[in-house]
Amino acid sequence: MPDNKRSQAITQGVQHAPSRAMLRAVGFSDGDFDKPIVGVANGYSTITPCNKGLNDLSTKAEAALRKAGAMPQMFGTITVSDGISMGTEGMKYSLVSREVIADSIETCVQAESMDGVIAIGGCDKNMPGAMIAIARMNVPAIFVYGGTIKPGHYKNQDLTIVSVFEAVGQHSAHKIDDQELLQIERHACPGAGSCGGMFTANTMSSAFEAMGMSLPYSSTMSAEDTEKLISAGESAEVLVNAIKKQILPRDIITRQSIENAVAVIMAVGGSTNAILHFLAIAHAADVEWTIDDFERVRAKVPVICDLKPSGRYVTADLHQAGGIPQVMKMLLLHGLLHGDCITISGQTVAEVLQDIPDNPRADQQIIRQWNNPLYTQGHLAILKGNLSTEGCVAKISGIKNPKITGPARVFESEETCMAAILARKIQPGDVVVIRYEGPKGGPGMREMLSPTSALIGEGLGDSVGLITDGRFSGGTYGMVVGHVAPEAYVGGTIALVQEGDSITIDAEQRLLQLNVSDDELAKRRAAWQAPQPRYARGVLAKYAKLVSSASKGAITD
């Protein structure tokens, strides 16, 4: 069976002469109609530094595809910047964009019967969006990460975008002055690339490499380094070989390979958003995977990388220390990876890792020795209780107090909460509740980096709890619990919380509890009425009608 059987369906035979005529206009000649047509899903934009360098990578991949005997067809897909829209109404579009990106890639590849696709992305949502599309379509595919940003520097400190958010809180608490805030802002983001810590973008790139859908070492390369361009070309060559051998995404994306990806996420201290995205990717690939599976993996995988936001180093440092292959080799040796999973190259995980050292180099501190982990268990915990019967997500690394019981401070939106924090109205021991920010209620499940960073900046990160049916940035840390489900908009218990109610967050017991009697909750539930939708038309209104619970990945199909 020819490896370009899909594209031949629109280029072979007399009846398809009009199709060939159209393709000639974009550069095809007589011999090219026998070659596989490969889409280059180019996420380039200047909206965000994450995607600023993607056009160069796409052009490199395009040239490599031609050289390898394929016919590339480049098309664009959108991105939005979470960092720029954070704390605004625009942030509601962030998670929505994941679905738009997935739908746009699926639409283009399927409409043109492409034989494969190389997806090139570099920001939080075009990465899972691309992988959702890849899993749905199940045509040969590879993901190319745009690369991490290099750290900014100021006063002998490595800076990331989170440094700026935290500086806002420090400024509010009069710990730094206007000039200090300005200097941190000026130095935090020195060039192209995705946010530099083990935030959402670097978490997802690392997970895709671990899953076998990206090339070894590619997930931690810096965007501005030459090796990133070289890797894009190599990825194109590997994809053409995968098309010839018909190595399909669903051969690679399996329950076992997702478990590999989640093990790496735990080991590197990755983002809470990975839970939402891998639930959606598993659904797209028809893989059985639930929110409870994350807790199962967490319990047996230690955190062995000392990375921001709760650690000391950035992803560029991880790359120099041995990258994701070194982390994977350690997990494999201790029975925490499935070595027989196939990768996009056709090799198994064990074969890919064969020549990687068993232990990390002794002259670095980013990847810890196995017998000296940062934490003995993973950091992304699934909590349940009467406040979240479907489950919610807490990042429990770097917190001094794993349990807090305190009075609820209830806010109906992120903006009202942020105003209270900056006005110094939140006190140690409080449990902040931000609700009606879930997938349906927001809609769009905004990230809460602004309030959490402000709390850290004011010195309240260890003494104040925060729960929400919204999300958190990959840069968030502290006693925070997100993805509370069922969400407030559908009548989840979080909608019934009243100011001053006692709430317990207990990371050790995996518990999120509203300390109110069942009888009282029944009375409140009987009196509760669903609010009117915040949007009556447009993409947010459509999303709110379609989207599932966060416990299912906030999927729309």
Side-chain angles (χ1 to χ4, degrees):
M1 185 175 292
D3 53 50
N4 58 330
K5 59 186 181 296
R6 284 168 53 87
S7 60
Q8 282 188 344
I10 62 167
T11 59
Q12 301 299 309
V14 173
Q15 73 272 28
H16 293 301
S19 299
R20 294 194 296 274
M22 296 285 285
L23 290 169
R24 289 181 193 278
V26 295
F28 279 61
S29 57
D30 287 346
D32 294 332
F33 297 108
D34 295 324
K35 300 174 181 177
I37 295 177
V38 179
V40 180
N42 182 359
Y44 166 74
S45 79
T46 56
I47 287 174
T48 171
C50 311
N51 289 42
K52 180 183 174 185
L54 299 191
N55 205 49
D56 292 339
L57 301 183
S58 298
T59 301
K60 180 71 173 180
E62 183 181 44
L65 287 168
R66 291 184 188 278
K67 187 175 180 180
M71 287 303 293
Q73 289 203 300
M74 191 182 297
F75 61 92
T77 185
I78 66 158
T79 196
V80 299
S81 171
D82 291 0
I84 293 172
S85 62
M86 195 75 67
T88 74
E89 195 78 357
M91 187 65 201
K92 294 181 177 181
Y93 288 87
S94 171
L95 189 57
V96 175
S97 76
R98 184 189 76 178
E99 308 307 301
V100 176
I101 292 160
D103 291 350
S104 69
I105 293 174
E106 177 191 354
T107 298
C108 199
V109 171
Q110 300 290 59
E112 304 306 315
S113 298
M114 294 176 182
D115 299 294
V117 61
I118 181 168
I120 303 175
C123 201
D124 292 7
K125 305 308 176 300
N126 51 48
M127 302 174 71
M131 197 58 65
I132 289 168
I134 286 167
R136 279 186 200 158
M137 298 181 299
N138 202 35
V139 300
I142 193 168
F143 184 84
V144 173
Y145 180 41
T148 185
I149 195 171
K150 294 183 177 180
H153 299 285
Y154 179 64
K155 290 187 174 180
N156 296 318
Q157 295 290 321
D158 283 347
L159 299 180
T160 69
I161 186 61
V162 175
S163 306
V164 187
F165 282 95
E166 291 178 3
V168 171
Q170 293 170 329
H171 184 268
S172 173
H174 307 295
K175 295 180 179 181
I176 61 173
D177 59 18
D178 292 351
Q179 186 62 26
E180 187 85 352
L181 176 60
L182 179 61
Q183 291 303 318
I184 293 172
E185 173 204 314
R186 284 175 170 171
H187 290 89
C189 298
S194 299
C195 299
M198 190 49 68
F199 309 149
T200 302
N202 285 322
T203 298
M204 296 308 296
S205 68
S206 299
F208 290 171
E209 179 180 326
M211 193 166 59
M213 289 299 299
S214 295
L215 294 189
Y217 296 104
S218 66
S219 68
T220 54
M221 293 174 179
S222 293
E224 297 181 319
D225 286 351
T226 302
E227 65 177 346
K228 177 45 65 179
L229 274 173
I230 295 171
S231 179
E234 291 173 346
S235 297
E237 295 169 7
V238 168
L239 175 59
V240 173
N241 184 62
I243 293 171
K244 292 176 180 177
K245 294 184 176 180
Q246 281 299 286
I247 301 173
L248 303 178
R250 293 193 189 183
D251 299 330
I252 302 168
I253 306 173
T254 64
R255 180 173 173 83
Q256 289 72 32
S257 73
I258 290 177
E259 185 164 318
N260 286 352
V262 173
V264 167
I265 290 166
M266 297 296 176
V268 300
S271 167
T272 55
N273 283 306
I275 291 180
L276 197 74
H277 297 327
F278 268 96
L279 287 167
I281 291 166
H283 171 79
D286 283 335
V287 171
E288 183 182 343
W289 188 267
T290 72
I291 194 170
D292 294 321
D293 286 311
F294 293 96
E295 181 62 26
R296 175 178 56 82
V297 177
R298 184 204 67 80
K300 60 184 180 179
V301 177
V303 180
I304 58 174
C305 295
D306 188 2
L307 296 167
K308 291 178 181 292
S310 56
R312 294 179 292 170
Y313 299 99
V314 295
T315 304
D317 297 323
L318 173 62
H319 188 64
Q320 295 303 316
I324 296 303
Q326 180 64 77
V327 175
M328 291 180 69
K329 183 61 174 285
M330 296 167 70
L331 294 172
L332 180 67
L333 287 175
H334 290 86
L336 296 172
L337 281 191
H338 299 281
D340 57 348
C341 288
I342 194 172
T343 69
I344 185 63
S345 69
Q347 294 178 293
T348 65
V349 166
E351 289 170 339
V352 169
L353 301 176
Q354 183 175 354
D355 296 329
I356 304 299
D358 292 351
N359 299 302
R361 298 195 324 268
D363 65 347
Q364 56 80 44
Q365 298 179 320
I366 299 96
I367 306 175
R368 306 281 283 262
Q369 299 298 320
W370 187 262
N371 61 3
N372 185 32
L374 210 59
Y375 306 99
T376 57
Q377 292 183 316
H379 64 300
L380 299 181
I382 305 301
L383 277 55
K384 291 188 177 181
N386 68 352
L387 247 178
S388 189
T389 55
E390 293 179 10
C392 55
V393 183
K395 183 186 284 189
I396 61 175
S397 58
I399 56 174
K400 294 180 180 178
N401 302 312
K403 179 178 179 179
I404 183 172
T405 295
R409 302 297 310 280
V410 182
F411 301 94
E412 310 299 324
S413 70
E414 178 185 1
E415 288 86 352
T416 54
C417 176
M418 188 65 180
I421 294 171
L422 295 179
R424 312 296 299 278
K425 293 181 179 180
I426 304 300
Q427 303 300 318
D430 286 345
V431 178
V432 173
V433 179
I434 306 176
R435 64 189 181 192
Y436 294 103
E437 291 285 7
K440 288 183 176 292
M445 207 179 177
R446 285 193 288 185
E447 292 181 356
M448 305 290 162
L449 181 57
S450 294
T452 58
S453 296
L455 288 171
I456 295 288
E458 291 190 9
L460 297 172
D462 292 318
S463 59
V464 169
L466 189 151
I467 70 170
T468 180
D469 50 9
R471 296 183 294 127
F472 293 117
S473 163
T476 294
Y477 62 102
M479 180 55 89
V480 295
V481 181
H483 308 196
V484 172
E487 63 175 290
Y489 187 80
V490 300
T493 304
I494 192 172
L496 310 180
V497 180
Q498 296 181 1
E499 185 80 9
D501 282 348
S502 172
I503 291 177
T504 295
I505 305 171
D506 190 334
E508 293 177 341
Q509 298 298 318
R510 316 287 174 259
L511 178 68
L512 183 64
Q513 187 77 14
L514 177 61
N515 301 311
V516 172
S517 70
D518 291 344
D519 288 345
E520 174 61 21
L521 286 179
K523 291 177 184 177
R524 294 183 188 181
R525 185 166 280 110
W528 177 81
Q529 291 185 333
Q532 290 295 311
R534 286 172 167 162
Y535 295 85
R537 60 189 305 177
V539 66
L540 291 181
K542 289 189 286 187
Y543 181 84
K545 289 177 181 177
L546 291 171
V547 70
S548 75
S549 169
S551 66
K552 303 291 185 183
I555 55 176
T556 57
D557 68 334

